[in-house]
Amino acid sequence: MADKLYPLPVFHFSVDFGGEKLGFTEVAGLTQENQMIEYRSGDFPEYSSIKMPGLRKFNNITLKRGIMKSDNKFFVWLNSSMKLSLVDRKDLTISLLNEKHEPVMSWKVSRAFPVKLEGPQLKAMGNEVAIESIEIAHEGLVVENL
């Protein structure tokens, strides 16, 4: 009997962050869409518009990870993006991994830069790890199913 194929779990993934492997607890926003253009000429015989594909749009991506002592690279990166001519853009590769830790699906993100950095919620009675999140804008997303 052949092995059954199961969908891949979401908890085993890696992020190559501009050539550096970084650990994240969550990645969200791997979304792209084709915007729609509606058009109708005044002498069109039907009383409706035609629809055609328009520009592609990419949502911002949010990455979350535990805060580590003396690690403020996201803060430095966010501050570097304040200078328009010196924005440090990074390419990212987010890979879903199989049980052998090999990529089976990848999202390649082009020319990303930070737009928001959010610190943890501090709670005197909390019992969680301090998590920071960084939101990045980008100019392209290519999906590869390996």
Side-chain angles (χ1 to χ4, degrees):
M1 182 175 180
D3 290 335
K4 283 189 175 184
L5 293 177
Y6 293 103
L8 296 166
V10 296
F11 60 79
H12 194 44
F13 61 94
S14 68
V15 179
D16 182 309
F17 196 82
E20 181 180 5
K21 292 264 188 214
L22 292 180
F24 291 93
T25 59
E26 189 175 328
V27 176
L30 298 173
T31 306
Q32 64 178 312
E33 65 180 273
N34 289 332
Q35 295 179 327
M36 180 190 58
I37 300 171
E38 287 194 60
Y39 175 78
R40 183 177 183 281
S41 176
D43 62 351
F44 197 59
E46 295 181 30
Y47 297 130
S48 64
S49 59
I50 60 171
K51 297 179 182 182
M52 52 193 163
L55 297 174
R56 288 191 315 165
K57 180 180 176 184
F58 305 103
N59 287 6
N60 289 349
I61 295 173
T62 302
L63 305 163
K64 294 183 179 184
R65 69 177 189 154
I67 294 177
M68 307 297 255
K69 183 180 177 187
S70 301
D71 182 4
N72 62 351
K73 64 181 72 165
F74 287 164
F75 182 73
V76 170
W77 191 33
L78 179 68
N79 284 340
S80 77
S81 70
M82 299 300 191
K83 302 174 184 117
L84 293 177
S85 61
L86 300 173
V87 175
D88 181 17
R89 293 177 181 257
K90 297 183 184 295
D91 292 337
L92 282 73
T93 302
I94 300 155
S95 299
L96 193 57
L97 306 175
N98 64 15
E99 63 278 353
K100 297 176 186 173
H101 313 292
E102 301 165 333
V104 292
M105 188 161 190
S106 292
W107 293 263
K108 296 189 180 229
V109 180
S110 303
R111 298 176 298 282
F113 62 95
V115 293
K116 180 180 177 182
L117 180 63
E118 185 174 337
Q121 291 184 348
L122 304 175
K123 298 182 262 182
M125 295 297 291
N127 190 27
E128 304 94 28
V129 170
I131 300 289
E132 70 179 339
S133 80
I134 185 164
E135 185 175 326
I136 58 172
H138 60 95
E139 294 180 352
L141 178 66
V142 175
V143 180
E144 292 180 355
N145 201 337
L146 308 171

